[in-house]
Amino acid sequence: MSPDKICYMAYQCNIRLIIFSFTGNEQKPKKSLELFSFGRFKIGLSTALREQTIQNLGSLFEYPGALMDEIRNAKNSALLMTMHMEERGQIQPADISPLLTALKDLRLHGVASDVEDQFNEHLRITDPLRRVEDTLRDTAAQELELLADIPIDEEGAPDQGTRRKGGHSEAGNVVKFEGDHNLIFQNCDVQLTGGAPHDLSVLPGVVQSQHPALLEGKMAAFIEELKETCHTLYDKIQPIPYIKEKLYSVDKVFIEVGIEHCDSRGSWKTLSSYRGIFSVAKANSRIQVIEGDPGYGKSTLALQLVYDWCNEVSDSPFCKPDILIFLNLRQLGGITSVIDAIEQFLLPRDSSVKRLDVEQLLNNRDIRILVIFDAYDEYPDQDIEDNFVTQILEEKMLRHVDVLLTTRSSCIPPACGSRTGRIRITGFDEGAREQYVRKAVTGDDEEVQRILEQLNTNPILRDICQAPLFSVMYAHVAHEEEEFHNVRSVTGFFEYMIDCFHSHAQNKVSGGKREQLQMFADNHRKLDKLAFDSLTGAHQQLLWDKKVLIKKFGAEFYRLYTDIGILVEEEVIKRSRGAKRAQSIQYQTEVHFYHKLFCEWFAACHLAKRVTSFQALFRDFCKRVNPYDLQFVYRFACGIHPAAAKRIIKLVQKKPDGDKFAVLCALEQEENTEDVLSTLRDLVSRDVYIRENDTRLLQRTTVQLLELASQKEVMYNRNDQSLCFIGTSGLMDVSKQKTTLRSI
């Protein structure tokens, strides 16, 4: 047993360590040296793997089709293949026999020989380290003088017994105690002669300290494994779902969005860059919320922060934390602790970092830690009382850890109090849109101008593309299409986008297959209901097991919607608590929508078809779902079905600030302008307020309505009527006895 185990067990058992020294020229045994050597081997291995070899190995190892597509389209497919082989145990620091056997089965004897030579070099480097560990193990067992406080009852179980004095033993790692009990250091258990092994974590008075040299080695290994996982997250950005042959690293597509922070007086002030987020943090505040409307780039910003940390970007404050934990809350339904989440989603199957190591690192106040919780609005357990995310936000645990949480503006966690810092994303301006087109779409000046002019000549499209998600989709589709469809609503834009996805798939086939794909494009009732139920149930569910969906939809339908990218496969590790680590691991393919807005689109299709015939269902939906939480479900439904729009608008108007939202819903009806004007006249017949603390959506909606009223020359003439702007300086009244709003 290695000396780090002896030292660790001594602390865990409340045993005072009198002598434990590294003397002479002996090296401190660190896992990081072995990991470094194996990492160098993996890089060498990736250079030996050719494209056809990767495909053949994937088939032999029975990798899922979606995973092979991801590997094939990766910027460095060989390196990604190497990482997946490591996750599945086909290569390990001490054994690569499964890979060598596979290469020989493929008759690639030359490649197998080269790989084996590289691995032997790795073993040559690490063998001296193991010899040092063996020497230190024997030496430490002889030099340890122990004084133990391990209460033991008559049956050998923990009890409030008497102190037993320890002495040396010839048995190496066994120390004999008075009372004829033996304490054996074995894995992470204490074995008492005549008794069962006892898990140290349940013994009273467990000490969480550890030898500094050992802690440093554990942290180095933990950080390396975190960075490997994070690399797979930020290095496969897919700007538009059906274009799978182009995957980007986040830094290649990230553009600075408009960003504001809320100061101590509650006023929103502009930030010049996301890198100023920490500099404007409130005093004594360790929690920051990044909020924004749907599609405004919250998750992309979060991944850019992860990129900065992994790559130690020198001018970014996000390279400063020692450890960064990135967790997508959409995945964490049923997960009851942050340790479970880290084990399941961030550590590889053969991780050298144990659960107790992670717990010690997270609880060490000398380590700077940043936890990023992404997409709180998609968190399935947000309504479960005292979930672990809420406990962290309420500072019931991990009080020393910095936290960044992203969410929609309409879904700020109740646990975030007045001390919580707030950052708000305001979207793309014209400069940001042009910068994205040049950076990620085309560098041709004429093509850039064509794409932007086509956008700027359509005011509605220009407003829609303030949302980065829509702007990005528009830019890529407009680059492929000679003429972009003249959309006049968000519904029209989204419908056109989905049509493009289906056309892309149909252009690859012909005959009966093409007709089948068109049938699936037109008839998606089961998908609609799945989306609706997932958003409106007691708890949001935005992840499904692949096998369940294939059984529900049929294999052909499922394949189409994953091929065009509306549904996205994601392979995750499932660990069962209670079983041994090696036995508790299973791979599972989970499926989610490309973006939550796509889920809202299909849910709206279901709602629109049932509003007129199932009024009770719709009334129940309106009672349970705040329009601003799922605004696009309402808006899309109004644009899809004119008859549904009348009922939706009528019920929405009864909500607080519902009159403005009702007009926004009415604007989705491209053909029914009279209904829009009627709703607009009703709105401007009363006082109109624009409040500084309103959501960006509500502010923008109000301005958009006033612009529309100006264009249509809608008049209001009540004597007591006001148009009021409410900000930190008070209320400004700009009312007139008779006013016609006109464009400026």
Side-chain angles (χ1 to χ4, degrees), residues 327-340:
L327 292 169
N328 189 322
L329 291 178
R330 179 189 65 229
Q331 299 175 315
L332 303 190
I335 303 294
T336 57
S337 78
V338 68
I339 307 293
D340 287 344

Side-chain angles (χ1 to χ4, degrees), residues 347-397:
L347 297 182
R349 181 177 66 174
D350 60 346
S351 173
S352 63
V353 182
K354 307 305 179 187
R355 184 181 180 86
L356 284 174
D357 298 333
V358 176
E359 189 170 352
Q360 278 203 324
L361 290 169
L362 290 186
N363 285 301
N364 190 318
R365 293 179 175 271
D366 294 328
I367 299 174
R368 294 171 298 177
I369 301 173
L370 172 63
V371 177
I372 299 179
F373 289 129
D374 186 36
Y376 179 82
D377 55 287
E378 300 181 28
Y379 181 36
D381 293 349
Q382 60 182 261
D383 295 327
I384 294 178
E385 187 176 354
D386 224 23
N387 61 70
F388 81 88
V389 176
T390 298
Q391 289 181 34
I392 293 174
L393 296 177
E394 292 180 345
E395 302 188 65
K396 294 179 180 178
M397 59 187 294

Side-chain angles (χ1 to χ4, degrees), residues 538-557:
H539 304 292
Q540 276 192 35
Q541 181 189 351
L542 298 173
L543 277 175
W544 299 271
D545 183 85
K546 174 181 177 178
K547 295 177 182 176
V548 172
L549 293 192
I550 290 176
K551 185 176 180 180
K552 181 184 288 287
F553 301 144
E556 293 297 324
F557 182 96

